[in-house]
Amino acid sequence: MALGLIFFFSLCFTLCFAGNVSYDSRSLIINGERKLLISAAIHYPRSVPAMWPELVKTAKEGGVDVIETYVFWNVHQPTSPSEYHFDGRFDLVKFINIVQEAGMYLILRIGPFVAAEWNFGGIPVWLHYVNGTVFRTDNYNFKYYMEEFTTYIVKLMKKEKLFASQGGPIILSQVENEYGYYEGAYGEGGKRYAAWAAQMAVSQNTGVPWIMCQQFDAPPSVINTCNSFYCDQFKPIFPDKPKIWTENWPGWFQTFGAPNPHRPAEDVAFSVARFFQKGGSVQNYYMYHGGTNFGRTAGGPFITTSYDYEAPIDEYGLPRLPKWGHLKELHKAIKLCEHVLLNSKPVNLSLGPSQEADVYADASGGCVAFLANIDDKNDKTVDFQNVSYKLPAWSVSILPDCKNVVYNTAKVTSQTALVEMVPDNLQQKDGSKALKWEVFVEKAGIWGEPDFMKNGFVDHINTTKDTTDYLWYTTSIVVGENEEFLKEGRHPVLLIESMGHALHAFVNQELQGSASGNGSHSPFKFKNPISLKAGKNEIALLSMTVGLQNAGSFYEWVGAGLTSVKIEGFNNGTVDLSHFNWIYKIGLQGEKLGIYKPEGVNSVSWVATSEPPKKQPLTWYKVVLDPPAGNEPVGLDMLHMGKGLAWLNGEEIGRYWPRKSSVHEKCVTECDYRGKFMPDKCFTGCGQPTQRWYHVPRSWFKPSGNLLVIFEEKGGDPEKITFSRRKMSSICALIAEDDPSADRKSLQEAGSKNSNSKASVHLGCPQNAVISAVKFASFGTPTGKCGSYSEGECHDPNSISVVEKACLNKTECTIELTEENFNKGLCPDFTRRLAVEAVCS
């Protein structure tokens, strides 16, 4: 959702799309003009069409020029090479048209292998079962289908006139993806494949350049690019190529059972500033909006349904503050430097042991300087052109005129916010709060006719071919009356080994226990006492996948499912069931009948109840209800459920699993931005559910009569399921008098003087809201952070009234730190700040 609050910095380059895209060693050249480009990854299947215009608009308001997306092969050809799907979330052409209508460029990463924490890396599962196929090497089948799909996409783009050479927004295309990491494992076949992929792509004659990311032997016909947390030291293979950063990771993905990696806004900004300081020309945030892995699209395995990625726009479409705003200010500062950066060569100056300046000066007298302090512990004061500048540790200051600092990466002056998930009680379609649940219980084991029988085990994935997460392995064992454990009341122990990913064990229709792997190790072992009776005992083991492998050498051959089943505790020792006769059933009965869809919901006999069963495994729940109030984004709160799948009106919300995350020594409440970031540097949410809320797009709701269907695998409490609305509960800002501002007008007014523009606080509410109250305001020496500010030793008592006068009942407001507003006589020996917290409604 776009914020009306912040002064709109237009990237208003006039996009005359028709024309030529070329490049040299410095930059892309579009219609004869050099471009310095900020790009934002937004994946069309990870949001819904109703969200696309606002996502693109928010990206543009954040100072972005380009939208980047992969093309996801397996959503367009899910079941066979003869069928193509481009409807709903998969309407690639519609998405690109929305980007073009916004006046922005697009980078199309066709791949068609994408990795992306996406199921099977984006390659259709059916291709693995074309006899003789090996992925991503010099293999005839793989190359045939890869070229066929790539050609289809290119022809579709040409038909719709979407390449820049046709007047469209697509300025770059990508083939393959990060293959350099794995090429060596394929030997000479890998080298031949990489060269073939580049040649195949270039032969498509799109009229725009092709790129290959992390391809360390890319041929000269394509541009090799960088993916990393930092790419300032990256150099293209060939001297005639521009320096392009295809993936700057502003956060990281999350797996079920793991804490949440947190990358501070200051470090993201530092990495971007350093890239442009060192001659970069195109920088893409992966992700700028991560979105949601709806349905069963998450890969990994174990990737969460949320693909929030701690991106500048959150999973629900709201700007993540202050990250979004801090980067917006960075983009403004960089754009002030664009002409000089692209038309001059830098001179590097040492300013200290870990401090340096890169100075760009063009023939017209323009001058730009980046002052960097890469010391990750100590702030420094440096002398540059006979002026002293304070540089916080691990920061870059940008001087568009080589005099005035308009931005420092470590000083966050943009608005921040507190965001909450506000519960909204589920209501029946008649408005009553007493929900009328209906229940259908699956049989543990074989429902209907068995699919097949076999002595021993089969691979889970090869059996289901990923048509479902579920595969039943069932057998039976006869227990004699003379077994000592029966006489003594002891329990034998069931021992299971599995390649992954998860399992529920049933004996005689009763759940005995569950086990699973995790995001770093899929295989697991199960060891649990079980209840056996004299006579025949049915053993039913529900094996589950949690997304397929999405990357790695020969990753398509990674299997899942049971490898050993034993029971210890018999008179004669341990009984090995591994080579027993096993009966197999693929999937669930409810899945097969489509009872989660409005058209299939009546395929079984549901049992109505006002008190649905709790902690009951293998249970389908359905209820008809009204949408939540308001227009805020919606999440489904599944804190009190176990593990399963959810749908609304037949749309796939996805896998839910509020599995608690591990407690890690690097769990923090505050993350030190200084120093190089890695995914394990700063964890948050330790000991909490990995994912509690599951995004349900507003566009999926009808005005009334919405069908919510839940399949619960191991047991939960459906009466505690609620919808929650994602709301900004408070908006805040904290700024010091000497903080820089990326403002062109103030820079021009400063002229040859070395002075910062007037510091000011900018506040703004989400769409359709106004500032209704000021909870805190203090000019002086306030301390704390948003939600917990407090007055310091020095405080102007008029602070609240000044802010209220400027902001109340307005969508956005600006408060300058001037003598007209505040008592500048306060605290002359301190750096004075203004802290504000307000409420939007």
Side-chain angles (χ1 to χ4, degrees):
M1 186 180 293
L3 291 179
L5 66 116
I6 305 175
F7 167 73
F8 177 68
F9 171 69
S10 172
L11 283 126
C12 288
F13 49 89
T14 301
L15 287 185
C16 179
F17 285 109
N20 182 51
V21 180
S22 60
Y23 59 85
D24 61 15
S25 61
R26 186 61 191 93
S27 71
L28 293 183
I29 302 169
I30 303 175
N31 301 324
E33 183 180 355
R34 293 190 180 281
K35 292 290 184 182
L36 187 154
L37 298 172
I38 307 290
S39 177
I42 300 175
H43 293 162
Y44 57 100
R46 283 177 159 142
S47 54
V48 294
M51 294 174 65
W52 294 344
E54 195 67 27
L55 291 173
V56 171
K57 179 183 176 185
T58 305
K60 185 171 183 178
E61 289 182 353
V64 168
D65 311 280
V66 186
I67 300 298
E68 173 268 310
T69 186
Y70 282 124
V71 178
F72 295 82
W73 186 359
N74 59 7
V75 305
H76 298 302
Q77 285 191 309
T79 57
S80 78
S82 61
E83 295 182 14
Y84 285 90
H85 298 272
F86 289 92
D87 54 337
R89 300 198 322 273
F90 312 140
D91 193 340
L92 175 61
V93 169
K94 181 176 182 177
F95 179 76
I96 297 175
N97 282 331
I98 287 170
V99 173
Q100 182 170 18
E101 289 163 6
M104 302 176 75
Y105 298 121
L106 186 125
I107 298 173
L108 191 67
R109 301 174 74 185
I110 298 176
F113 168 80
V114 299
E117 294 72 58
W118 190 262
N119 197 51
F120 224 42
I123 297 177
V125 173
W126 56 257
L127 183 53
H128 178 52
Y129 298 101
V130 174
N131 192 38
T133 300
V134 181
F135 289 2
R136 306 180 76 200
T137 189
D138 187 17
N139 174 270
Y140 175 82
N141 286 346
F142 185 74
K143 292 194 300 181
Y144 173 83
Y145 287 107
M146 173 177 166
E147 181 171 12
E148 183 179 66
F149 179 76
T150 302
T151 302
Y152 186 95
I153 295 298
V154 168
K155 286 183 176 179
L156 179 61
M157 298 300 102
K158 286 181 178 179
K159 176 185 174 185
E160 300 293 334
K161 295 184 167 40
L162 293 175
F163 287 109
S165 54
Q166 303 172 288
I170 302 172
I171 56 171
L172 291 173
S173 293
Q174 178 180 300
V175 67
E176 250 298 331
N177 189 62
E178 299 182 328
Y179 188 61
Y181 293 139
Y182 310 110
E183 182 179 309
Y186 296 92
E188 290 301 313
K191 293 181 180 179
R192 292 194 300 271
Y193 166 72
W196 168 84
Q199 179 276 325
M200 180 273 291
V202 173
S203 71
Q204 300 285 337
N205 296 316
T206 61
V208 302
W210 285 82
I211 59 175
M212 295 182 80
C213 65
Q214 296 299 95
Q215 188 60 50
F216 312 126
D217 60 355
S221 56
V222 300
I223 305 169
N224 72 295
T225 66
C226 181
N227 293 358
S228 183
F229 289 110
Y230 308 92
C231 281
D232 49 291
Q233 299 304 310
F234 167 76
K235 291 184 180 179
I237 297 171
F238 299 100
D240 64 332
K241 310 298 183 192
K243 184 171 176 173
I244 297 177
W245 191 357
T246 32
E247 291 190 17
N248 179 3
W249 306 313
W252 200 241
F253 58 84
Q254 193 172 10
T255 58
F256 285 114
N260 189 28
H262 167 67
R263 188 180 186 191
E266 298 94 325
D267 183 61
V268 181
F270 174 81
S271 70
V272 176
R274 287 287 288 168
F275 177 70
F276 287 109
Q277 176 180 351
K278 295 298 182 181
S281 61
V282 180
Q283 189 267 166
N284 177 62
Y285 295 103
Y286 183 102
M287 300 294 296
Y288 195 79
H289 165 71
T292 307
N293 293 315
F294 294 113
R296 298 171 54 252
T297 57
F302 294 98
I303 297 295
T304 55
T305 301
S306 171
Y307 198 64
D308 181 84
Y309 220 88
E310 211 185 52
I313 302 175
D314 73 17
E315 177 184 5
Y316 294 82
L318 298 176
R320 170 169 277 108
L321 303 177
K323 187 173 283 187
W324 180 87
H326 191 48
L327 295 176
K328 173 188 170 97
E329 295 301 311
L330 170 63
H331 304 156
K332 289 167 66 173
I334 290 171
K335 287 296 182 175
L336 291 174
C337 309
E338 180 174 16
H339 179 80
V340 176
L341 286 177
L342 295 178
N343 291 280
S344 59
K345 293 185 177 180
V347 175
N348 181 262
L349 304 173
S350 175
L351 303 177
S354 297
Q355 297 76 40
E356 65 177 356
D358 283 282
V359 183
Y360 294 77
D362 66 13
S364 66
C367 185
V368 165
F370 290 79
L371 310 184
N373 179 13
I374 56 176
D375 187 319
D376 62 6
K377 294 180 177 62
N378 303 300
D379 298 351
K380 295 291 182 180
T381 298
V382 299
D383 290 326
F384 173 69
Q385 295 189 353
N386 300 316
V387 177
S388 293
Y389 295 89
K390 293 180 180 178
L391 293 177
W394 200 252
S395 77
V396 177
S397 285
I398 300 175
L399 291 68
D401 58 358
C402 286
K403 299 181 181 67
N404 295 285
V405 176
V406 299
Y407 185 88
N408 178 272
T409 59
K411 294 186 175 182
V412 179
T413 61
S414 60
Q415 176 176 307
T416 187
L418 296 179
V419 179
E420 295 181 343
M421 300 299 287
V422 180
D424 193 282
N425 290 327
L426 302 185
Q427 290 194 351
Q428 201 77 28
K429 64 180 180 179
D430 60 5
S432 65
K433 294 185 178 180
L435 296 181
K436 298 181 178 66
W437 290 94
E438 295 182 60
V439 174
F440 170 70
V441 181
E442 292 264 343
K443 180 184 177 184
I446 305 302
W447 51 270
E449 293 296 319
D451 284 320
F452 60 93
M453 291 181 285
K454 183 179 185 298
N455 288 336
F457 300 126
V458 296
D459 180 83
H460 180 129
I461 298 169
N462 286 341
T463 304
T464 65
K465 295 182 171 55
D466 198 43
T467 57
T468 174
D469 283 355
Y470 304 104
L471 177 63
W472 283 106
Y473 294 69
T474 68
T475 191
S476 61
I477 184 171
V478 176
V479 175
E481 294 180 354
N482 294 325
E483 292 292 341
E484 291 297 324
F485 67 78
L486 292 175
K487 297 177 181 179
E488 298 176 4
R490 289 186 289 107
H491 293 283
V493 176
L494 178 62
L495 305 170
I496 302 173
E497 295 182 13
S498 172
M499 293 184 288
H501 305 151
L503 172 134
H504 302 308
F506 294 83
V507 175
N508 299 322
Q509 298 292 307
E510 296 293 327
L511 179 63
Q512 305 294 305
S514 304
S516 68
N518 57 54
S520 58
H521 190 69
S522 294
F524 64 89
K525 294 181 180 180
F526 173 96
K527 182 177 182 180
N528 216 56
I530 59 173
S531 298
L532 294 178
K533 64 184 180 180
K536 185 178 180 181
N537 293 264
E538 295 181 354
I539 311 293
L541 307 177
L542 182 59
S543 175
M544 293 161 287
T545 49
V546 191
L548 301 191
Q549 197 82 16
N550 59 252
S553 304
F554 303 101
Y555 75 90
E556 71 271 29
W557 302 97
V558 175
L562 308 186
T563 56
S564 173
V565 177
K566 298 177 182 179
I567 302 177
E568 63 179 18
F570 286 89
N571 293 350
N572 293 330
T574 298
V575 176
D576 190 344
L577 281 65
S578 303
H579 300 289
F580 274 36
N581 184 44
W582 288 84
I583 304 172
Y584 291 89
K585 190 67 180 181
I586 297 169
L588 307 169
Q589 184 179 7
E591 274 187 309
K592 181 74 171 179
L593 297 174
I595 66 174
Y596 52 86
K597 302 176 183 177
E599 62 271 23
V601 71
N602 294 321
S603 301
V604 297
S605 296
W606 296 84
V607 177
T609 176
S610 59
E611 295 185 8
K614 301 174 178 61
K615 300 187 181 303
Q616 179 172 286
L618 303 179
T619 302
W620 293 82
Y621 300 94
K622 80 175 177 77
V623 67
V624 178
L625 39 71
D626 286 338
N631 59 3
E632 300 92 348
V634 176
L636 186 66
D637 187 348
M638 302 298 278
L639 177 63
H640 299 282
M641 298 300 285
K643 180 180 179 295
L645 298 166
W647 297 262
L648 182 77
N649 295 324
E651 300 284 358
E652 302 173 305
I653 298 171
R655 299 184 182 100
Y656 69 84
W657 192 3
R659 182 182 187 181
K660 284 192 175 181
S661 64
S662 56
V663 177
H664 196 282
E665 62 181 8
K666 294 185 179 179
C667 291
V668 298
T669 53
E670 294 285 338
C671 184
D672 187 349
Y673 73 87
R674 299 173 301 177
K676 285 199 170 183
F677 178 82
M678 290 298 287
D680 65 350
K681 180 180 179 180
C682 295
F683 285 131
T684 60
C686 295
Q688 300 298 313
T690 306
Q691 186 175 350
R692 173 176 176 175
W693 291 279
Y694 297 80
H695 182 209
V696 185
R698 277 278 181 182
S699 61
W700 286 1
F701 286 95
K702 301 183 294 184
S704 64
N706 295 280
L707 176 66
L708 177 66
V709 177
I710 309 291
F711 173 67
E712 171 56 48
E713 297 170 7
K714 59 181 184 176
D717 186 352
E719 289 189 296
K720 292 183 179 177
I721 295 173
T722 63
F723 286 123
S724 295
R725 292 175 288 141
R726 191 165 179 82
K727 298 183 68 171
M728 285 188 185
S729 58
S730 288
I731 57 173
C732 303
L734 175 65
I735 192 167
E737 287 180 300
D738 60 354
D739 281 339
S741 175
D743 184 282
R744 185 185 297 273
K745 181 180 178 182
S746 297
L747 187 66
Q748 291 170 342
E749 289 174 354
S752 61
K753 297 180 292 183
N754 297 94
S755 64
N756 291 308
S757 59
K758 294 176 182 177
S760 57
V761 161
H762 303 277
L763 294 175
C765 292
Q767 196 173 26
N768 302 320
V770 297
I771 297 169
S772 57
V774 177
K775 294 178 69 174
F776 180 91
S778 177
F779 175 76
T781 57
T783 58
K785 59 183 180 180
C786 188
S788 60
Y789 290 131
S790 60
E791 294 175 8
E793 182 180 327
C794 172
H795 166 70
D796 185 340
N798 294 320
S799 301
I800 286 261
S801 60
V802 169
V803 175
E804 287 180 338
K805 182 179 178 181
C807 299
L808 280 183
N809 301 315
K810 295 180 181 178
T811 300
E812 59 183 294
C813 63
T814 300
I815 309 105
E816 292 187 343
L817 277 63
T818 62
E819 291 182 359
E820 291 81 3
N821 286 330
F822 300 104
N823 182 359
K824 291 285 190 144
L826 290 169
C827 320
D829 298 328
F830 292 89
T831 299
R832 290 161 297 201
R833 301 183 297 275
L834 174 62
V836 179
E837 179 179 354
V839 176
C840 294
S841 59

